[in-house]
Amino acid sequence: MSAQIIDGKVIAAQIRNEVKADVERMKAATGKVPGLAAVLVGDRKDSQTYVRNKKKACAEVGIASFGYDLPADISQDDLKKVVTELNANPDVHGILVQLPLPGHIDEEEILGTISIEKDVDGFHPLNIGRLSMKRREPLFVPCTPRGCIELIIRSGYSIDGKRAVVLGRSNIVGLPAAMLLLHRNATVTICHSRTKNLPEVVREADILIAAVGRAEMVRKDWVKPGVVVIDVGINAVDDASDPRGYRLVGDVAYDEVKEVAAAITPVPGGVGPMTIAMLLRNTTDGAMRANGLM
Ligand code: GUN
């Protein structure tokens, strides 16, 4: 039996429509629209593409976006000054500092400078603390992990009481995703490069979130029949038959694993579109909170 394909493009479009309706409601009630400041440091091509896509998505739902393209050799103090000014700007409800930052910048200090009320990526240390602790509410849930949970729930799968395995322990995806699953009453195992008997551990999963950045690492014989698979990986592999010379694949061997899984996200078209949709959601939530609308 072949798995249900979880279509991230369709679910992300639903979320963008919900956000657009809230933006219109806010505009009618206050005359203002949500605003997102996107801070890009340096000239990494991948980061430029991500930021361009985020700004385009803002425009489509009526969110104002403000771009800050800063030189790679900006000083820590000057970058902090930009963030501090954005903290004070009432037209800006969300501040996003695209990661990774150049090596000479202290990332933790910069992320900690963002006002917690405007931290739409949810990377502020205090926000992550609240996200991790029992009976605490974060102001914002980081976008990619929030997107993973939405994909599971909106596809009709429950998390409560399930065995969940998260592959990867990054600050941006693996760690917060594990916390979100835990708070929804999953029994959670986090796997990483030092995990022993990895396939055996992954085979316990009812829900698998793969976020390690290793092309097609999870094979058919690694998973339990009926697993729900959320594949966060985006890996380029050489492919002479593709006009670009490469194609994108996830961390999961999609063609094999879909034969045994209950549900699986494709790459591309699974988690990718959700990250931006959740950023729009978080920015609009921040703006509505700032204007007493939620
Ligand atoms: N770099 C990779 N993913 C992200 C993200 O979700 N937000 C930011 N700011 N940078 C990233």
Side-chain angles (χ1 to χ4, degrees):
M1 208 192 66
S2 202
Q4 174 194 353
I5 308 307
I6 299 178
D7 190 335
K9 284 185 285 196
V10 168
I11 297 176
Q14 281 167 7
I15 291 169
R16 287 199 304 272
N17 280 337
E18 293 162 14
V19 169
K20 196 167 181 218
D22 280 337
V23 171
E24 280 159 12
R25 199 156 61 83
M26 174 171 161
K27 196 171 177 183
T30 67
K32 292 183 269 190
V33 295
L36 174 71
V39 179
L40 177 64
V41 182
D43 45 20
R44 280 179 66 114
K45 291 278 172 287
D46 58 345
S47 291
Q48 286 171 341
T49 304
Y50 291 135
V51 168
R52 192 171 53 244
N53 289 342
K54 288 170 183 179
K55 288 197 284 198
K56 184 165 160 263
C58 281
E60 283 165 9
V61 297
I63 295 175
S65 65
F66 309 89
Y68 292 79
D69 286 0
L70 306 173
D73 62 356
I74 190 170
S75 69
Q76 181 83 10
D77 280 350
D78 285 349
L79 181 53
K80 265 176 78 176
K81 212 178 291 167
V82 170
V83 172
T84 306
E85 281 168 16
L86 293 171
N87 283 343
N89 183 341
D91 296 329
V92 171
H93 306 98
I95 303 169
L96 169 161
V97 177
Q98 187 65 26
L99 302 178
L101 290 166
H104 68 282
I105 298 286
D106 177 346
E107 176 190 297
E108 188 177 357
E109 191 192 23
I110 297 300
L111 296 180
T113 303
I114 298 172
S115 157
I116 191 167
E117 284 81 18
K118 298 189 179 187
D119 169 36
V120 284
D121 263 326
F123 297 158
H124 191 289
L126 180 55
N127 191 68
I128 294 291
R130 287 191 184 160
L131 180 85
S132 304
M133 293 168 83
K134 250 174 119 168
R135 291 187 289 277
R136 303 279 198 282
E137 279 296 320
L139 273 116
F140 297 101
V141 174
C143 303
T144 302
R146 186 174 180 190
C148 293
I149 301 295
E150 290 288 337
L151 286 172
I152 297 168
I153 292 172
R154 290 183 187 235
S155 302
Y157 297 96
S158 73
I159 296 173
D160 201 314
K162 297 286 162 55
R163 281 288 209 128
V165 171
V166 179
L167 276 178
R169 53 177 161 180
S170 71
N171 289 336
I172 293 180
V173 185
L175 188 89
M179 294 304 148
L180 296 177
L181 291 163
L182 179 66
H183 296 323
R184 289 177 179 271
N185 301 320
T187 301
V188 183
T189 304
I190 305 174
C191 298
H192 45 77
S193 54
R194 307 287 277 272
T195 299
K196 301 247 189 314
N197 305 324
L198 187 56
E200 204 174 294
V201 179
V202 172
R203 255 193 308 272
E204 291 179 4
D206 302 310
I207 295 169
L208 174 65
I209 296 186
V212 275
R214 298 271 300 272
E216 300 182 320
M217 183 176 79
V218 178
R219 315 301 308 196
K220 185 177 179 179
D221 62 350
W222 286 37
V223 299
K224 181 162 76 178
V227 63
V228 174
V229 179
I230 306 296
D231 191 351
V232 185
I234 304 177
N235 310 289
V237 295
D238 293 341
D239 184 350
S241 71
D242 191 294
R244 297 171 299 181
Y246 70 92
R247 69 195 155 87
L248 296 177
V249 300
D251 292 346
V252 177
Y254 179 81
D255 287 335
E256 294 181 13
V257 172
K258 80 173 173 13
E259 295 308 315
V260 285
I264 188 167
T265 60
V267 176
V271 175
M274 293 296 287
T275 297
I276 292 187
M278 299 328 306
L279 176 68
L280 304 176
R281 179 72 269 167
N282 279 353
T283 302
T284 303
D285 287 352
M288 287 170 55
R289 261 200 301 263
N291 284 279
L293 296 175
M294 71 180 267

